[in-house]
Amino acid sequence: MAVKLQISTWLQNLGIACSMASLFTLFFRLTDFAWMTKSVYYIPIFFVVLFLFGLIIAEDVRKAFKKMFWYEKRKVQRPIWQVGVGFIFFLAQIGAVMVFSKELTQPELGGMPLFLVVAFMNAFMMTVIYEEIFYRKDKAREVSQ
Protein backbone atom coordinates (compact mmCIF):
# COMPACT_ATOMS: atom_id res chain seq x y z
CA MET A 1 0.00 0.00 0.00
CA ALA A 2 2.88 2.36 0.77
CA VAL A 3 4.34 1.80 -2.69
CA LYS A 4 1.03 2.76 -4.33
CA LEU A 5 0.89 5.92 -2.24
CA GLN A 6 4.44 6.84 -3.24
CA ILE A 7 3.71 6.22 -6.92
CA SER A 8 0.48 8.23 -6.67
CA THR A 9 2.29 11.15 -5.02
CA TRP A 10 5.09 10.93 -7.57
CA LEU A 11 2.63 11.00 -10.50
CA GLN A 12 0.78 13.96 -9.03
CA ASN A 13 4.07 15.83 -8.49
CA LEU A 14 5.12 15.00 -12.04
CA GLY A 15 1.84 16.41 -13.38
CA ILE A 16 2.19 19.56 -11.29
CA ALA A 17 5.78 20.09 -12.46
CA CYS A 18 4.78 19.56 -16.10
CA SER A 19 1.86 21.98 -15.74
CA MET A 20 3.95 24.69 -14.15
CA ALA A 21 6.83 24.33 -16.61
CA SER A 22 4.64 24.30 -19.71
CA LEU A 23 2.43 27.20 -18.62
CA PHE A 24 5.41 29.39 -17.69
CA THR A 25 7.13 28.48 -20.96
CA LEU A 26 3.98 29.45 -22.83
CA PHE A 27 3.73 32.76 -20.98
CA PHE A 28 7.34 33.61 -21.79
CA ARG A 29 6.81 32.65 -25.45
CA LEU A 30 4.00 35.20 -25.70
CA THR A 31 6.05 38.08 -24.24
CA ASP A 32 9.11 40.03 -25.29
CA PHE A 33 11.21 37.39 -23.54
CA ALA A 34 10.52 34.75 -26.20
CA TRP A 35 14.27 34.44 -26.74
CA MET A 36 14.37 32.54 -23.42
CA THR A 37 12.39 29.67 -24.92
CA LYS A 38 14.91 28.54 -27.52
CA SER A 39 14.57 24.88 -28.38
CA VAL A 40 16.92 21.96 -28.84
CA TYR A 41 15.30 19.09 -30.75
CA TYR A 42 11.91 20.84 -30.33
CA ILE A 43 12.23 20.83 -26.54
CA PRO A 44 12.48 24.33 -25.03
CA ILE A 45 15.49 24.62 -22.73
CA PHE A 46 13.48 26.92 -20.46
CA PHE A 47 10.86 24.17 -20.14
CA VAL A 48 13.47 21.62 -19.02
CA VAL A 49 14.89 23.98 -16.40
CA LEU A 50 11.44 24.87 -15.09
CA PHE A 51 10.38 21.22 -15.12
CA LEU A 52 13.35 20.22 -12.97
CA PHE A 53 12.67 23.14 -10.62
CA GLY A 54 8.99 22.18 -10.59
CA LEU A 55 9.87 18.64 -9.49
CA ILE A 56 11.66 20.14 -6.50
CA ILE A 57 8.75 22.34 -5.39
CA ALA A 58 5.80 20.20 -6.54
CA GLU A 59 5.42 18.46 -3.18
CA ASP A 60 5.19 21.81 -1.41
CA VAL A 61 2.69 23.11 -3.97
CA ARG A 62 0.55 20.01 -3.53
CA LYS A 63 0.63 20.34 0.27
CA ALA A 64 -0.22 24.05 0.05
CA PHE A 65 -3.30 23.29 -2.04
CA LYS A 66 -4.33 20.57 0.40
CA LYS A 67 -4.14 23.11 3.24
CA MET A 68 -5.88 25.80 1.22
CA PHE A 69 -8.87 23.55 0.48
CA TRP A 70 -8.87 21.99 4.01
CA TYR A 71 -8.40 18.55 2.53
CA GLU A 72 -7.38 16.87 5.80
CA LYS A 73 -10.31 18.40 7.72
CA ARG A 74 -12.99 17.21 5.30
CA LYS A 75 -15.16 14.33 6.40
CA VAL A 76 -15.36 13.01 2.83
CA GLN A 77 -12.09 13.66 0.98
CA ARG A 78 -12.85 11.74 -2.20
CA PRO A 79 -14.65 14.50 -4.23
CA ILE A 80 -11.93 17.11 -3.70
CA TRP A 81 -9.29 14.45 -4.41
CA GLN A 82 -10.97 13.62 -7.73
CA VAL A 83 -11.20 17.27 -8.73
CA GLY A 84 -7.56 17.87 -7.81
CA VAL A 85 -6.21 14.91 -9.73
CA GLY A 86 -8.44 15.66 -12.72
CA PHE A 87 -7.27 19.28 -12.75
CA ILE A 88 -3.62 18.20 -12.66
CA PHE A 89 -4.21 15.91 -15.66
CA PHE A 90 -6.16 18.62 -17.51
CA LEU A 91 -3.52 21.33 -17.02
CA ALA A 92 -0.65 19.01 -17.89
CA GLN A 93 -2.31 18.07 -21.19
CA ILE A 94 -3.17 21.64 -22.13
CA GLY A 95 0.33 22.83 -21.27
CA ALA A 96 1.98 20.04 -23.24
CA VAL A 97 -0.13 20.82 -26.33
CA MET A 98 0.54 24.55 -26.08
CA VAL A 99 4.30 24.07 -25.75
CA PHE A 100 5.03 21.05 -27.95
CA SER A 101 2.20 20.89 -30.52
CA LYS A 102 0.96 24.41 -31.16
CA GLU A 103 -0.60 23.28 -34.46
CA LEU A 104 -3.12 21.14 -32.54
CA THR A 105 -4.69 24.29 -31.07
CA GLN A 106 -6.24 25.35 -34.39
CA PRO A 107 -9.09 22.85 -34.98
CA GLU A 108 -12.37 23.87 -33.36
CA LEU A 109 -15.51 22.00 -32.36
CA GLY A 110 -18.51 24.30 -32.36
CA GLY A 111 -16.39 27.34 -31.57
CA MET A 112 -14.35 25.73 -28.79
CA PRO A 113 -10.77 24.65 -29.44
CA LEU A 114 -10.78 20.89 -29.94
CA PHE A 115 -7.70 20.32 -27.81
CA LEU A 116 -9.61 21.65 -24.76
CA VAL A 117 -12.45 19.21 -25.37
CA VAL A 118 -10.07 16.29 -25.83
CA ALA A 119 -8.04 17.32 -22.75
CA PHE A 120 -11.20 17.47 -20.65
CA MET A 121 -12.38 14.04 -21.81
CA ASN A 122 -8.90 12.57 -21.30
CA ALA A 123 -8.65 14.10 -17.82
CA PHE A 124 -11.99 12.59 -16.89
CA MET A 125 -11.01 9.14 -18.12
CA MET A 126 -7.54 9.34 -16.58
CA THR A 127 -9.06 10.36 -13.24
CA VAL A 128 -11.39 7.36 -13.28
CA ILE A 129 -8.54 4.99 -14.17
CA TYR A 130 -6.24 6.65 -11.64
CA GLU A 131 -8.89 6.28 -8.95
CA GLU A 132 -9.36 2.60 -9.72
CA ILE A 133 -5.62 2.03 -9.35
CA PHE A 134 -4.68 4.30 -6.44
CA TYR A 135 -7.79 5.15 -4.43
CA ARG A 136 -9.04 1.67 -3.56
CA LYS A 137 -8.47 2.04 0.20
CA ASP A 138 -11.76 3.85 0.83
CA LYS A 139 -13.72 1.44 -1.34
CA ALA A 140 -12.41 -1.48 0.72
CA ARG A 141 -13.44 0.31 3.93
CA GLU A 142 -16.91 1.12 2.57
CA VAL A 143 -17.55 -2.52 1.60
CA SER A 144 -16.41 -3.85 4.98
CA GLN A 145 -18.73 -1.53 6.93
Side-chain angles (χ1 to χ4, degrees):
M1 192 61 147
V3 174
K4 277 190 176 183
L5 183 62
Q6 287 177 337
I7 293 171
S8 173
T9 303
W10 182 75
L11 287 173
Q12 290 175 31
N13 290 346
L14 197 64
I16 290 170
C18 181
S19 299
M20 289 189 307
S22 56
L23 292 175
F24 276 112
T25 302
L26 175 66
F27 292 146
F28 272 92
R29 235 184 226 167
L30 300 174
T31 66
D32 294 335
F33 297 102
W35 55 271
M36 289 180 62
T37 61
K38 296 294 180 196
S39 298
V40 175
Y41 297 113
Y42 302 106
I43 300 173
I45 298 169
F46 190 65
F47 173 85
V48 173
V49 171
L50 284 177
F51 182 74
L52 294 174
F53 178 70
L55 285 175
I56 295 169
I57 66 168
E59 183 70 24
D60 294 329
V61 170
R62 203 171 55 76
K63 286 180 180 177
F65 274 99
K66 283 176 120 177
K67 286 181 183 176
M68 188 170 67
F69 292 114
W70 299 324
Y71 180 75
E72 301 298 332
K73 294 179 183 178
R74 292 177 182 267
K75 187 186 286 187
V76 180
Q77 297 174 344
R78 185 175 172 208
I80 195 77
W81 181 88
Q82 289 173 326
V83 169
V85 169
F87 195 63
I88 290 170
F89 288 144
F90 183 69
L91 283 181
Q93 289 177 79
I94 288 176
V97 168
M98 295 296 278
V99 171
F100 296 108
S101 301
K102 189 78 169 153
E103 64 277 356
L104 293 177
T105 62
Q106 302 306 317
E108 291 188 357
L109 179 67
M112 177 178 271
L114 189 59
F115 80 101
L116 290 178
V117 175
V118 172
F120 183 78
M121 290 187 307
N122 284 344
F124 175 75
M125 291 304 297
M126 288 168 61
T127 303
V128 170
I129 293 168
Y130 192 86
E131 182 178 18
E132 287 296 319
I133 295 171
F134 294 108
Y135 205 75
R136 286 229 176 232
K137 60 184 177 188
D138 284 345
K139 286 185 178 183
R141 280 189 218 147
E142 289 173 8
V143 170
S144 66
Q145 290 177 355

